[in-house]
Amino acid sequence: MTGRRAAGATGLQRPLSLQQARNLHLAAQALAAPPRRRARKADVAAAIARMRVLQIDTIHVVARSPYLVLFSRLGNYRSQWLDETLAEGAIFECWAHEACFAPITDLALHRTEVGEGVRPGHWAIRSAQRTHARQPQALTELLVHIRTHGAVKSSDFRREHGSGGGWWGWKDEKRWLEALFARGELMIARRENFQRVYDLRERVLANASRSHAVADDLMDPHARERAFVLGAVRALGISQARWINDYFRSGRRLRDAHLVEFVESGDLLRVEVAGWDAPAYVHADHAALLVAARAGRLRATHTTLLSPFDPVVWDRQRAASLFDFDYRIECYTPASKRRHGYYVLPILHRGRLVGRIDAKAHRGEGRFEIKSLSLQEGVVADAALADALARAISDCAAWHATPRVTLGQRAPSAFAALLRAALRAADTR
C-alpha cells in the first residue's frame, strides 16, 4: 500500500465531531490561532497563497473586504502591502469565486484563452463574450490605444452622458476594459486608490516575471478540473462534495460519485462528521491536521471580526452546516428587509461564529461605530466573551485608524454593559 493510499485509510476511523471539523477548516484558513508575530509584507502573498483566492469588493464602510480578510489572519499589517504585492506581480487579478486576487503561481489555472473562457458558464465570461460579439471594433481600437499609449484606468475616459453608479451604470470604456480583462487580453497592472489600472497581458506578465516564476501555458481541461477540486478542498481544510466547486466557481455542483477517483488515488481522504448526512473530504496534505483534530489536539483560540466576503462565510450553506450560522450579505438587500444591518461582520470566537456586528469606520472622526450587535442563540454572554471581543474590536478599530469605539443601543443590554466596560479596559492597555 502506497503512502497516499495508506493515508486514505484514516477516513475509516471514528467520525469527527462538528467542532473538530470546524477547527480543521479554520486551521486551513489560518484562523484557528492569533498571529504569533508581527506581520511582514511577505505574509500578504503567503496568506493569499494559502486561501488560493481573496475576493475583491469595493464597499468601504469599514476597510474594503480584501484588506479586512487579511487583517483577520495577519493582525495589524500595512494595508498598502496588498497594493504593492499586486504591482510587483506576486499576485494577479482574475475571475474565480467572484473578482479575486490569486497567487501568480496559479496563473495557468485561471488563464482565460481569448475567445473562450476557462469557465464558459461564469457570468463575467458570458458578459465579456456578449460585449465582444456586439462591439468587436471598439474593443480592438481600445487595445490599440493601450498598446500605443500605455496602461489606463476607466477614469481616463470621459463620460459622454448621464452619470455612473454601480456596474449597471458603467460607461462604454469601462465595459470594454472589463470585457478585455475577462477574455484575458488585458490584466490589472496595479491599483491606484483602488481603481484598476489595465495593461496588455504581455506587459503585466513581463513585469511579474522579473521577480517571480510565471507559467502561462494553457492547461489540459482535465488537469485544470482536478486542480480546482484539490485546490478548493485544501484551502477549505474539510468540505462536503457539494461545496467544492463554489470555491473557485469552477463548474457544476459535485456529488460524492465524482470524488471516488480522488479518494482511490489517495489525494483526498473521506471522513465522517457527526450529524452530517454526507461524507466530507480532506486533502492528503492535511492528513496530520486531521489526526490532530480527531485526537483533540487541534484547538481554535482566535477571536476576530470577519469580512462579509471572507471564505469562511461566503457559501451560505457551508456556513450553516459547519457553524450553524445563517449568514446573508445584507448590503445588497433593500433596507426594509435587512435583519442585522448594512455591512455586518461575523464574530469568530474560539472556533465558533458567535454573533455579528454592524460596523462603520468614521475615518474623519477617528471613530469606529458599532451600530448593532447580536449574539447567536445559546452563546454564553459572559465577561470572558466580552473581554475577548473587546480586544478584537479595539485591535480592528486601531488598524482602521479609528481608535475610539462607540457602541450603539442595538445590543443585548446585559452583554452591552460588559462589553463597554471591557472596551474601556482595552483602551487603557
Coordinates of all heavy atoms in Angstrom, one line a residue, residues 19-99:
Q19 N -17.2 20.3 16.1 CA -16.2 21.2 16.5 C -14.8 20.9 15.9 O -14.0 21.7 15.5 CB -16.1 21.4 18.0 CG -15.2 22.5 18.5 CD -15.7 23.9 17.9 OE1 -16.8 24.3 18.1 NE2 -14.8 24.6 17.2
Q20 N -14.5 19.6 15.9 CA -13.2 19.2 15.3 C -13.2 19.5 13.8 O -12.1 19.9 13.3 CB -13.0 17.7 15.5 CG -12.7 17.3 16.9 CD -12.8 15.8 17.2 OE1 -13.4 15.0 16.4 NE2 -12.2 15.3 18.3
A21 N -14.3 19.4 13.1 CA -14.3 19.8 11.7 C -14.2 21.3 11.5 O -13.4 21.7 10.6 CB -15.7 19.3 11.1
R22 N -14.8 22.0 12.4 CA -14.6 23.5 12.4 C -13.1 23.9 12.6 O -12.6 24.7 11.9 CB -15.4 24.1 13.5 CG -16.9 24.1 13.3 CD -17.6 24.6 14.6 NE -19.1 24.6 14.5 CZ -19.9 24.7 15.5 NH1 -19.4 24.8 16.8 NH2 -21.2 24.7 15.3
N23 N -12.5 23.2 13.6 CA -11.1 23.5 13.9 C -10.2 23.2 12.7 O -9.3 24.0 12.4 CB -10.6 22.8 15.1 CG -11.4 23.2 16.4 OD1 -12.1 24.2 16.4 ND2 -11.2 22.5 17.5
L24 N -10.5 22.1 12.0 CA -9.7 21.8 10.8 C -9.9 22.8 9.7 O -8.9 23.2 9.1 CB -10.1 20.4 10.3 CG -9.4 19.8 9.1 CD1 -7.9 19.8 9.3 CD2 -9.9 18.4 8.9
H25 N -11.1 23.2 9.5 CA -11.4 24.3 8.5 C -10.7 25.6 8.8 O -10.0 26.2 8.0 CB -12.9 24.5 8.4 CG -13.3 25.7 7.6 ND1 -13.0 25.9 6.3 CD2 -14.1 26.8 8.0 CE1 -13.6 27.0 5.9 NE2 -14.2 27.6 6.9
L26 N -10.8 26.0 10.1 CA -10.2 27.3 10.5 C -8.6 27.2 10.4 O -8.0 28.2 10.1 CB -10.6 27.6 11.9 CG -12.1 28.0 12.0 CD1 -12.6 28.1 13.4 CD2 -12.5 29.3 11.2
A27 N -8.1 26.0 10.8 CA -6.6 25.9 10.7 C -6.1 26.0 9.2 O -5.1 26.7 9.0 CB -6.2 24.5 11.3
A28 N -6.9 25.4 8.3 CA -6.5 25.5 6.9 C -6.6 27.0 6.4 O -5.8 27.4 5.6 CB -7.4 24.6 6.1
Q29 N -7.6 27.7 7.0 CA -7.8 29.1 6.6 C -7.0 30.1 7.4 O -7.1 31.3 7.3 CB -9.3 29.4 6.7 CG -10.1 28.9 5.6 CD -10.0 29.7 4.3 OE1 -10.0 30.9 4.4 NE2 -9.9 29.0 3.2
A30 N -6.0 29.6 8.2 CA -5.2 30.5 9.1 C -6.0 31.3 10.1 O -5.6 32.4 10.4 CB -4.3 31.3 8.2
L31 N -7.1 30.7 10.6 CA -7.9 31.4 11.5 C -8.1 30.7 12.8 O -8.9 31.1 13.7 CB -9.3 31.7 10.9 CG -9.4 32.8 9.9 CD1 -10.7 32.8 9.1 CD2 -9.2 34.2 10.5
A32 N -7.4 29.6 13.0 CA -7.5 28.9 14.3 C -6.9 29.6 15.5 O -7.3 29.5 16.6 CB -7.0 27.5 14.1
A33 N -5.8 30.3 15.2 CA -5.0 30.9 16.3 C -4.6 32.3 15.9 O -4.5 32.6 14.7 CB -3.7 30.0 16.6
P34 N -4.4 33.2 16.9 CA -3.9 34.5 16.5 C -2.5 34.5 15.9 O -1.8 33.5 16.1 CB -3.9 35.2 17.9 CG -4.6 34.4 18.8 CD -4.6 33.0 18.3
P35 N -2.2 35.5 15.1 CA -0.8 35.5 14.6 C 0.2 35.5 15.7 O 0.1 36.1 16.7 CB -0.8 36.8 13.8 CG -1.9 37.6 14.3 CD -3.0 36.7 14.7
R36 N 1.3 34.8 15.5 CA 2.3 34.6 16.5 C 3.4 35.7 16.5 O 4.1 35.8 17.5 CB 3.0 33.3 16.3 CG 2.1 32.1 16.5 CD 2.9 30.8 16.4 NE 2.0 29.6 16.6 CZ 2.4 28.4 16.5 NH1 3.7 28.1 16.1 NH2 1.6 27.4 16.7
R37 N 3.4 36.5 15.5 CA 4.4 37.6 15.4 C 3.8 38.7 14.6 O 2.8 38.6 14.0 CB 5.7 37.1 14.7 CG 5.5 36.5 13.4 CD 6.8 36.3 12.6 NE 6.6 35.5 11.3 CZ 6.1 36.1 10.2 NH1 5.8 37.4 10.2 NH2 6.0 35.4 9.1
R38 N 4.5 39.8 14.6 CA 4.1 41.0 13.8 C 4.2 40.7 12.3 O 5.1 40.0 11.9 CB 5.0 42.2 14.2 CG 4.5 43.5 13.6 CD 5.4 44.6 14.1 NE 4.9 45.9 13.7 CZ 3.9 46.6 14.2 NH1 3.3 46.1 15.3 NH2 3.5 47.7 13.8
A39 N 3.2 41.1 11.6 CA 3.1 40.8 10.2 C 4.2 41.4 9.4 O 4.7 42.5 9.7 CB 1.8 41.3 9.6
R40 N 4.7 40.7 8.4 CA 5.6 41.2 7.4 C 5.0 41.3 6.0 O 4.0 40.6 5.8 CB 6.9 40.3 7.4 CG 7.5 40.2 8.7 CD 8.5 39.0 8.7 NE 9.1 38.7 10.0 CZ 9.6 37.6 10.4 NH1 9.6 36.5 9.5 NH2 10.1 37.4 11.6
K41 N 5.6 42.0 5.1 CA 5.0 42.2 3.8 C 4.8 40.8 3.1 O 3.8 40.6 2.4 CB 5.8 43.1 3.0 CG 5.3 43.4 1.6 CD 6.1 44.4 0.8 CE 5.6 44.6 -0.6 NZ 6.5 45.5 -1.4
A42 N 5.8 39.9 3.2 CA 5.7 38.6 2.5 C 4.5 37.8 3.0 O 4.0 36.9 2.3 CB 7.0 37.9 2.8
D43 N 4.0 38.1 4.2 CA 2.8 37.4 4.7 C 1.6 37.6 3.9 O 0.6 36.8 3.9 CB 2.6 37.8 6.2 CG 3.7 37.4 7.1 OD1 4.4 36.4 6.8 OD2 3.9 38.1 8.1
V44 N 1.5 38.8 3.2 CA 0.3 39.0 2.4 C 0.2 38.0 1.3 O -0.8 37.4 1.1 CB 0.3 40.5 1.9 CG1 -0.7 40.7 0.8 CG2 0.2 41.5 3.0
A45 N 1.3 37.9 0.5 CA 1.3 36.9 -0.6 C 1.1 35.5 0.0 O 0.4 34.6 -0.6 CB 2.6 37.0 -1.4
A46 N 1.7 35.2 1.1 CA 1.6 33.8 1.7 C 0.1 33.5 2.1 O -0.3 32.4 1.9 CB 2.5 33.7 2.9
A47 N -0.6 34.5 2.7 CA -1.9 34.3 3.1 C -2.8 34.1 1.9 O -3.7 33.2 1.9 CB -2.4 35.5 3.9
I48 N -2.6 34.8 0.8 CA -3.4 34.6 -0.4 C -3.1 33.3 -1.0 O -4.0 32.6 -1.5 CB -3.1 35.8 -1.4 CG1 -3.6 37.1 -0.8 CG2 -3.9 35.5 -2.7 CD1 -3.2 38.3 -1.6
A49 N -1.8 32.9 -1.0 CA -1.5 31.5 -1.5 C -2.2 30.4 -0.7 O -2.6 29.4 -1.2 CB 0.0 31.4 -1.5
R50 N -2.3 30.7 0.6 CA -3.0 29.7 1.5 C -4.5 29.6 1.2 O -5.0 28.5 1.1 CB -2.7 30.0 2.9 CG -3.2 29.0 3.9 CD -2.6 29.3 5.3 NE -3.0 28.3 6.3 CZ -2.4 28.2 7.5 NH1 -1.4 29.1 7.8 NH2 -2.7 27.3 8.3
M51 N -5.1 30.7 1.0 CA -6.5 30.8 0.7 C -6.8 30.4 -0.8 O -7.9 30.0 -1.1 CB -7.1 32.1 1.0 CG -7.2 32.5 2.5 SD -8.0 34.1 2.7 CE -6.7 35.2 2.2
R52 N -5.8 30.7 -1.6 CA -5.9 30.5 -3.1 C -6.6 31.6 -3.8 O -6.3 31.9 -4.9 CB -6.4 29.1 -3.4 CG -5.7 27.9 -2.9 CD -4.3 27.8 -3.5 NE -4.3 27.5 -4.9 CZ -4.4 26.3 -5.4 NH1 -4.4 25.3 -4.6 NH2 -4.4 26.1 -6.7
V53 N -7.6 32.2 -3.2 CA -8.3 33.3 -3.8 C -8.7 34.3 -2.6 O -9.1 33.8 -1.5 CB -9.6 32.9 -4.6 CG1 -9.2 32.4 -5.9 CG2 -10.4 32.0 -3.8
L54 N -8.6 35.6 -2.9 CA -9.0 36.6 -2.0 C -10.0 37.5 -2.7 O -9.7 38.2 -3.7 CB -7.8 37.4 -1.6 CG -8.0 38.7 -0.7 CD1 -8.7 38.3 0.6 CD2 -6.7 39.4 -0.4
Q55 N -11.3 37.4 -2.3 CA -12.4 38.1 -3.0 C -12.3 39.6 -2.9 O -11.9 40.1 -1.8 CB -13.7 37.6 -2.6 CG -14.9 38.1 -3.4 CD -16.2 37.5 -3.0 OE1 -16.3 36.3 -2.6 NE2 -17.3 38.2 -3.3
I56 N -12.6 40.3 -4.0 CA -12.5 41.7 -4.0 C -13.9 42.3 -4.0 O -14.8 41.8 -4.6 CB -11.8 42.2 -5.3 CG1 -10.4 41.6 -5.4 CG2 -11.8 43.7 -5.4 CD1 -9.8 41.8 -6.8
D57 N -14.1 43.3 -3.1 CA -15.3 44.1 -3.1 C -15.0 45.5 -2.8 O -14.0 45.8 -2.0 CB -16.3 43.5 -2.1 CG -17.7 44.1 -2.2 OD1 -18.5 43.6 -3.1 OD2 -18.0 45.1 -1.5
T58 N -15.7 46.4 -3.3 CA -15.4 47.8 -3.2 C -16.0 48.6 -2.0 O -15.6 49.7 -1.8 CB -15.7 48.6 -4.5 OG1 -17.1 48.5 -4.7 CG2 -15.0 48.0 -5.7
I59 N -17.0 48.0 -1.4 CA -17.7 48.7 -0.3 C -16.7 49.0 0.8 O -15.9 48.1 1.2 CB -18.8 47.8 0.3 CG1 -19.9 47.6 -0.8 CG2 -19.5 48.5 1.5 CD1 -21.0 46.6 -0.4
H60 N -16.7 50.2 1.3 CA -15.7 50.6 2.3 C -16.2 51.4 3.5 O -15.7 52.3 4.0 CB -14.5 51.4 1.7 CG -14.9 52.6 1.0 ND1 -15.6 52.7 -0.2 CD2 -14.7 53.9 1.4 CE1 -15.8 54.0 -0.5 NE2 -15.3 54.7 0.4
V61 N -17.4 50.9 4.0 CA -17.9 51.5 5.3 C -16.9 51.1 6.4 O -16.8 51.9 7.4 CB -19.3 51.0 5.6 CG1 -20.3 51.6 4.7 CG2 -19.4 49.5 5.7
V62 N -16.3 50.0 6.3 CA -15.0 49.7 7.1 C -14.0 49.4 6.0 O -14.2 49.8 4.8 CB -15.2 48.5 8.0 CG1 -16.2 48.8 9.1 CG2 -15.6 47.2 7.3
A63 N -12.9 48.9 6.3 CA -11.9 48.6 5.3 C -12.5 47.7 4.2 O -13.3 46.8 4.5 CB -10.6 47.9 5.9
R64 N -12.1 48.0 2.9 CA -12.6 47.1 1.9 C -12.2 45.7 2.1 O -11.2 45.4 2.7 CB -12.0 47.6 0.5 CG -12.5 48.9 0.0 CD -12.0 49.2 -1.4 NE -12.6 50.4 -1.9 CZ -12.1 51.6 -1.8 NH1 -10.9 51.8 -1.1 NH2 -12.7 52.7 -2.4
S65 N -13.1 44.8 1.7 CA -13.1 43.4 2.1 C -11.7 42.7 2.0 O -11.3 42.0 2.9 CB -14.1 42.6 1.3 OG -14.1 41.3 1.7
P66 N -11.0 42.8 0.8 CA -9.7 42.1 0.8 C -8.8 42.5 1.9 O -8.0 41.6 2.4 CB -9.2 42.4 -0.6 CG -9.9 43.6 -1.1 CD -11.2 43.5 -0.4
Y67 N -8.7 43.7 2.3 CA -7.8 44.2 3.3 C -8.3 43.6 4.7 O -7.5 43.2 5.5 CB -7.8 45.7 3.4 CG -7.4 46.4 2.1 CD1 -8.3 46.9 1.2 CD2 -6.0 46.4 1.7 CE1 -7.9 47.5 0.0 CE2 -5.6 47.0 0.6 CZ -6.6 47.6 -0.3 OH -6.2 48.2 -1.5
L68 N -9.6 43.6 4.9 CA -10.1 43.1 6.2 C -9.9 41.6 6.3 O -9.6 41.1 7.4 CB -11.6 43.4 6.3 CG -12.3 43.1 7.6 CD1 -11.6 43.7 8.8 CD2 -13.8 43.5 7.6
V69 N -10.1 40.8 5.2 CA -9.8 39.4 5.3 C -8.4 39.1 5.7 O -8.1 38.2 6.5 CB -10.1 38.8 3.9 CG1 -9.6 37.3 3.8 CG2 -11.6 38.8 3.6
L70 N -7.5 39.9 5.2 CA -6.1 39.7 5.6 C -5.9 40.1 7.0 O -5.1 39.5 7.7 CB -5.2 40.6 4.6 CG -5.1 40.0 3.2 CD1 -4.3 41.1 2.3 CD2 -4.4 38.7 3.1
F71 N -6.5 41.2 7.5 CA -6.4 41.6 8.9 C -6.8 40.5 9.8 O -6.2 40.3 10.8 CB -7.2 42.9 9.1 CG -7.3 43.2 10.6 CD1 -6.3 43.8 11.3 CD2 -8.4 42.8 11.3 CE1 -6.3 44.0 12.7 CE2 -8.5 43.0 12.7 CZ -7.5 43.7 13.4
S72 N -7.9 39.8 9.5 CA -8.4 38.8 10.4 C -7.4 37.7 10.6 O -7.4 37.0 11.6 CB -9.7 38.1 9.8 OG -10.7 39.1 9.6
R73 N -6.5 37.5 9.6 CA -5.5 36.4 9.6 C -4.1 37.0 10.1 O -3.3 36.2 10.8 CB -5.3 35.8 8.3 CG -6.5 34.9 7.9 CD -6.7 34.8 6.4 NE -7.8 33.9 6.1 CZ -9.1 34.2 6.2 NH1 -9.5 35.5 6.5 NH2 -10.1 33.4 5.9
L74 N -3.7 38.2 9.7 CA -2.4 38.7 10.0 C -2.3 39.7 11.1 O -1.3 40.0 11.6 CB -1.9 39.4 8.7 CG -1.8 38.6 7.4 CD1 -1.3 39.5 6.3 CD2 -1.0 37.4 7.6
G75 N -3.5 40.2 11.6 CA -3.4 41.2 12.6 C -3.0 42.6 12.0 O -3.2 42.8 10.8
N76 N -2.4 43.4 12.8 CA -2.0 44.7 12.4 C -0.9 44.7 11.3 O 0.2 44.5 11.6 CB -1.5 45.5 13.6 CG -1.3 47.0 13.3 OD1 -1.7 47.5 12.2 ND2 -0.8 47.7 14.2
Y77 N -1.3 44.9 10.1 CA -0.4 44.9 9.0 C -0.6 46.2 8.2 O -1.7 46.9 8.3 CB -0.5 43.7 8.1 CG -1.7 43.8 7.1 CD1 -1.6 44.0 5.8 CD2 -3.0 43.6 7.6 CE1 -2.6 44.1 4.9 CE2 -4.1 43.7 6.8 CZ -3.9 43.9 5.4 OH -5.0 44.0 4.6
R78 N 0.2 46.6 7.3 CA 0.1 47.8 6.5 C -0.7 47.4 5.2 O -0.3 46.6 4.4 CB 1.4 48.3 6.0 CG 2.3 48.8 7.2 CD 3.6 49.3 6.8 NE 4.5 49.7 7.9 CZ 5.7 50.1 7.8 NH1 6.3 50.2 6.6 NH2 6.4 50.4 8.8
S79 N -1.9 48.0 5.1 CA -2.8 47.7 4.0 C -2.2 47.9 2.6 O -2.5 47.3 1.7 CB -4.1 48.4 4.2 OG -3.9 49.8 4.2
Q80 N -1.3 48.9 2.5 CA -0.6 49.2 1.2 C 0.2 48.0 0.7 O 0.5 47.9 -0.4 CB 0.2 50.4 1.3 CG 1.4 50.4 2.2 CD 1.1 51.0 3.5 OE1 0.0 50.9 4.0 NE2 2.1 51.6 4.1
W81 N 0.5 47.1 1.6 CA 1.3 45.9 1.2 C 0.5 45.1 0.1 O 1.1 44.5 -0.7 CB 1.6 45.0 2.4 CG 2.7 45.6 3.3 CD1 3.5 46.6 3.0 CD2 3.0 45.1 4.6 NE1 4.4 46.8 4.1 CE2 4.1 45.9 5.1 CE3 2.5 44.1 5.4 CZ2 4.6 45.8 6.3 CZ3 3.1 43.9 6.7 CH2 4.1 44.8 7.1
L82 N -0.8 45.0 0.3 CA -1.6 44.3 -0.7 C -1.5 45.0 -2.1 O -1.2 44.3 -3.1 CB -3.1 44.3 -0.3 CG -4.0 43.6 -1.3 CD1 -3.6 42.2 -1.6 CD2 -5.5 43.7 -0.9
D83 N -1.6 46.3 -2.2 CA -1.4 47.0 -3.4 C 0.0 46.8 -4.0 O 0.2 46.6 -5.2 CB -1.6 48.5 -3.2 CG -2.9 48.8 -2.5 OD1 -3.9 48.1 -2.8 OD2 -3.0 49.8 -1.8
E84 N 1.0 46.8 -3.1 CA 2.4 46.6 -3.6 C 2.6 45.2 -4.1 O 3.3 45.0 -5.1 CB 3.4 47.0 -2.5 CG 3.4 48.4 -2.1 CD 4.1 48.7 -0.8 OE1 4.7 47.7 -0.2 OE2 4.2 49.9 -0.3
T85 N 2.0 44.3 -3.4 CA 2.1 42.9 -3.8 C 1.6 42.6 -5.2 O 2.1 41.9 -6.0 CB 1.5 41.9 -2.8 OG1 2.1 42.2 -1.5 CG2 1.6 40.5 -3.1
L86 N 0.4 43.3 -5.5 CA -0.1 43.2 -6.8 C 0.8 43.9 -7.9 O 1.1 43.3 -8.9 CB -1.5 43.9 -6.8 CG -2.2 44.1 -8.2 CD1 -2.5 42.7 -8.8 CD2 -3.4 44.9 -8.1
A87 N 1.2 45.1 -7.6 CA 2.1 45.8 -8.5 C 3.4 45.1 -8.8 O 3.9 45.2 -9.9 CB 2.4 47.2 -8.0
E88 N 3.9 44.3 -7.8 CA 5.1 43.6 -8.0 C 5.0 42.3 -8.7 O 6.0 41.6 -9.0 CB 5.8 43.4 -6.6 CG 6.3 44.7 -6.0 CD 6.5 44.6 -4.5 OE1 6.4 43.5 -4.0 OE2 6.8 45.7 -3.9
G89 N 3.7 41.9 -8.9 CA 3.5 40.6 -9.7 C 3.4 39.4 -8.9 O 3.4 38.3 -9.5
A90 N 3.4 39.4 -7.5 CA 3.4 38.2 -6.8 C 1.9 37.6 -6.8 O 1.7 36.4 -6.5 CB 3.8 38.4 -5.3
I91 N 1.0 38.5 -7.0 CA -0.4 38.1 -7.2 C -1.0 38.7 -8.4 O -0.4 39.7 -9.0 CB -1.3 38.5 -5.9 CG1 -1.2 40.0 -5.7 CG2 -0.8 37.7 -4.7 CD1 -2.2 40.5 -4.6
F92 N -2.1 38.3 -8.9 CA -2.8 38.9 -10.0 C -4.3 38.8 -9.8 O -4.8 38.2 -8.9 CB -2.4 38.1 -11.3 CG -3.0 36.8 -11.4 CD1 -4.1 36.5 -12.3 CD2 -2.5 35.7 -10.7 CE1 -4.6 35.2 -12.4 CE2 -3.0 34.4 -10.8 CZ -4.1 34.2 -11.6
E93 N -5.0 39.5 -10.6 CA -6.5 39.6 -10.5 C -7.1 38.7 -11.6 O -6.6 38.5 -12.7 CB -7.0 41.0 -10.7 CG -6.6 41.9 -9.5 CD -7.4 43.2 -9.5 OE1 -8.6 43.2 -9.9 OE2 -6.9 44.2 -9.0
C94 N -8.2 38.0 -11.2 CA -8.9 37.1 -12.1 C -10.3 37.0 -11.7 O -10.7 37.4 -10.6 CB -8.2 35.7 -12.0 SG -8.3 34.9 -10.4
W95 N -11.1 36.3 -12.5 CA -12.4 35.9 -12.1 C -12.4 34.5 -11.6 O -12.0 33.6 -12.3 CB -13.4 36.0 -13.3 CG -13.8 37.4 -13.6 CD1 -13.3 38.2 -14.6 CD2 -14.7 38.2 -12.9 NE1 -13.9 39.5 -14.5 CE2 -14.8 39.5 -13.5 CE3 -15.5 37.9 -11.8 CZ2 -15.6 40.5 -13.0 CZ3 -16.3 38.9 -11.3 CH2 -16.4 40.2 -11.9
A96 N -12.8 34.3 -10.4 CA -12.9 33.0 -9.8 C -14.2 32.9 -9.0 O -15.2 32.9 -9.7 CB -11.7 32.8 -8.8
H97 N -14.1 32.8 -7.7 CA -15.4 32.8 -6.9 C -16.2 34.0 -7.4 O -17.4 33.9 -7.7 CB -15.1 32.8 -5.4 CG -16.4 32.8 -4.6 ND1 -17.1 31.7 -4.3 CD2 -17.1 33.9 -4.0 CE1 -18.1 32.0 -3.6 NE2 -18.2 33.3 -3.4
E98 N -15.6 35.2 -7.3 CA -16.0 36.4 -8.0 C -14.7 37.0 -8.4 O -13.8 36.3 -8.7 CB -16.9 37.3 -7.0 CG -18.3 36.7 -6.7 CD -19.2 36.8 -7.9 OE1 -18.9 37.5 -8.9 OE2 -20.2 36.0 -7.9
A99 N -14.7 38.4 -8.5 CA -13.4 39.0 -8.8 C -12.5 38.8 -7.6 O -12.9 39.0 -6.4 CB -13.6 40.5 -9.0

